[in-house]
């Protein structure tokens, strides 16, 4: 395990979890996952597996026909007997569904859409390959997603956030007790996130030998599996250099020898720990904004687009495989720029 890179360790965990879920799911699911493996990422397949577990759980708990079923018992004939109305009831069920651990899980529009999309992919495959005779999922429309305002930090808020990380003056007494130990690390992480737009999983996955301070560059493992070099400013380089000097004095825990960012337990920082770190400082600087690492990514993308006006550059730097994803997130800024163009060209001199 220690010889594996961070993303390889994460992939291994996903494969092991997939094995557990497939042991619980109906046999027909194995055929589906085997077919989609060449064209999907491991994390995507795991999400599908969780979604199908929720679906079969719904049939068992909400449909009297299947109340005595174990999940493993469902056959292709059972899937053929599911109707479009059953799936519409499933969509309604997803809004507030019972859960053994949490009591109740609330799914927002995006969560419901993803689960229905997973089910559609499953049914489409089975129908197209003549494993089932009917495709009720084809008659179910995906829920409409209401666009929300994109939350991001303004330039002055970015400065305040980094200032707070350096000083820690507004932290609670309990937080201040740990601040001196984590200040340099936190400043390096937040500087990288705000100065490159990388994802939080990409940030915690950085190894010591991925950083090149002379070239002010870092090699990261992108969401789609691609290794990519991302460049950063001298300001970010200073923060990273300061932490790397401190990092030399830390003895890492077994299995985290290669990791750049370490927790107080000297283990590789987890995504969850990094999210809590961002939240801690952001709540002080912008208490009315729900700032997450992804909002820092949006902040970088917004500022880069404002400075360059190049949506294709923004898409490339953020690692978007489809520029339409980028356009969707930064369309409002584009409209402001187009609106300002009306005053740029004069037809007659004053």
């Amino acid at each position: 395990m220690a010889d594996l890179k961070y993303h390889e360790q994460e992939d291994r965990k996903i494969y092991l979890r997939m094995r557990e879920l497939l042991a619980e799911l109906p046999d027909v699911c194995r055929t589906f996952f085997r077919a989609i493996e060449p064209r999907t990422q491991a994390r995507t397949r795991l999400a599908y597996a969780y979604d199908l577990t929720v679906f079969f759980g719904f049939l068992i708990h909400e449909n009297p026909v299947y109340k005595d079923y174990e999940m493993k018992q469902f056959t292709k004939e059972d899937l053929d007997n599911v109707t479009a109305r059953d799936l519409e009831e499933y969509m309604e069920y997803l809004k507030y569904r019972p859960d053994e651990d949490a009591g109740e899980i609330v799914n927002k529009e995006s969560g419901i859409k993803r689960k229905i999309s997973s089910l559609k992919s499953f049914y489409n495959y089975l129908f197209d390959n003549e494993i089932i005779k009917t495709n009720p999922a084809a008659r179910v429309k995906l829920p409409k997603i209401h666009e929300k305002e994109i939350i991001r930090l303004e330039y002055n808020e970015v400065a305040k956030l980094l200032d707070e990380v350096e000083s820690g003056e507004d932290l609670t007494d309990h937080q201040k007790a740990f601040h001196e130990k984590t200040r340099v690390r936190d400043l390096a992480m937040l500087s990288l996130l705000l100065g490159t737009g990388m994802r939080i999983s990409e940030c915690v996955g950085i190894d010591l030998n991925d950083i090149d301070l002379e070239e002010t560059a870092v090699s990261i493992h992108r969401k789609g599996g691609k290794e990519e070099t991302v460049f950063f400013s001298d300001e970010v380089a200073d923060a990273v250099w300061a932490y790397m000097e401190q990092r030399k004095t830390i003895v890492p825990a077994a299995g985290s020898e290669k990791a750049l960012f370490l927790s107080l337990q000297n283990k590789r920082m987890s995504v969850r720990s990094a999210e809590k770190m961002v939240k801690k400082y952001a709540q002080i600087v912008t208490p009315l904004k729900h700032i997450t690492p992804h909002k820092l990514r949006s902040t970088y993308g917004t500022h880069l687009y404002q400075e360059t006006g190049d949506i294709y550059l923004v898409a490339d730097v953020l690692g978007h495989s489809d520029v339409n994803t980028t356009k969707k997130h930064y369309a409002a800024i584009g409209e402001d720029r187009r609106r300002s163009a009306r005053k740029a060209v004069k037809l007659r001199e004053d």
Side-chain angles (χ1 to χ4, degrees), residues 93-321:
Y93 164 87
L94 286 174
K95 293 179 181 178
Y96 303 97
R97 67 180 182 85
D99 182 81
E100 290 183 6
D101 299 319
E104 183 178 76
I105 292 179
V106 179
N107 279 294
K108 297 180 180 179
E109 291 173 338
S110 57
I112 295 172
K113 183 176 181 180
R114 194 201 78 184
K115 286 178 172 56
I116 298 300
S117 294
S118 298
L119 196 59
K120 278 178 168 287
S121 296
F122 178 58
Y123 261 94
N124 287 344
Y125 169 78
L126 297 180
F127 183 72
D128 291 343
N129 288 273
E130 300 181 347
I131 296 172
I132 57 175
K133 299 175 183 178
T134 61
N135 186 3
R139 296 165 54 193
V140 177
K141 294 182 179 180
L142 291 173
K144 184 178 179 180
I145 302 295
H146 294 86
E147 296 298 331
K148 296 180 180 179
E149 179 186 4
I150 296 175
I151 299 172
R152 54 178 75 88
L153 295 174
E154 302 299 332
Y155 283 104
N156 65 314
E157 291 172 331
V158 170
K160 287 180 181 178
L161 181 66
L162 296 177
D163 287 345
E164 181 59 39
V165 177
E166 286 191 305
S167 70
E169 62 183 28
D170 294 315
L171 295 172
T172 66
D173 290 340
H174 177 72
Q175 291 170 335
K176 285 179 180 177
F178 298 97
H179 180 249
E180 193 53 39
K181 296 178 181 178
T182 64
R183 177 180 63 83
V184 178
R185 181 204 68 191
D186 295 350
L187 185 61
M189 288 192 75
L190 282 166
S191 296
L192 267 176
L193 292 168
L194 286 162
T196 65
M198 68 173 65
R199 296 174 178 88
I200 193 65
S201 59
E202 295 164 352
C203 187
V204 300
I206 296 172
D207 286 339
L208 287 165
N209 59 6
D210 291 330
I211 292 282
D212 186 337
L213 288 176
E214 287 189 11
E215 293 293 327
T216 58
V218 56
S219 175
I220 60 174
H221 189 81
R222 286 292 194 193
K223 187 178 178 181
K226 182 181 177 184
E227 294 281 351
E228 205 165 89
T229 299
V230 174
F231 298 90
F232 46 84
S233 68
D234 290 339
E235 182 182 8
V236 174
D238 289 343
V240 174
W241 177 84
Y243 173 67
M244 291 185 77
E245 289 298 298
Q246 186 186 81
R247 172 69 174 77
K248 292 176 184 177
T249 68
I250 303 172
V251 179
S256 297
E257 293 87 354
K258 297 179 181 179
L260 173 61
F261 294 113
L262 298 177
S263 68
L264 286 172
Q265 291 74 40
N266 296 340
K267 297 179 180 179
R268 184 188 292 274
M269 281 278 283
S270 67
V271 168
R272 179 65 181 144
S273 295
E275 288 173 339
K276 290 171 70 174
M277 182 268 291
V278 171
K279 181 180 179 181
K280 176 179 68 176
Y281 293 113
Q283 282 183 330
I284 295 171
V285 176
T286 58
L288 297 182
K289 290 183 178 180
H290 178 55
I291 298 298
T292 63
H294 194 74
K295 301 300 189 298
L296 302 186
R297 182 169 157 82
S298 295
T299 296
Y300 173 79
T302 299
H303 292 169
L304 181 61
Y305 185 59
Q306 287 173 333
E307 293 296 327
T308 66
D310 188 342
I311 198 69
Y312 292 95
L313 174 63
V314 176
D316 184 52
V317 173
L318 291 181
H320 288 165
S321 56

Side-chain angles (χ1 to χ4, degrees), residues 65-82:
V65 175
Y66 308 109
K67 64 182 178 66
D68 296 323
Y69 267 49
E70 294 290 332
M71 202 172 291
K72 192 77 176 172
Q73 286 181 253
F74 281 91
T75 65
K76 60 183 181 180
E77 287 76 22
D78 291 317
L79 291 171
D80 251 328
N81 290 331
V82 172

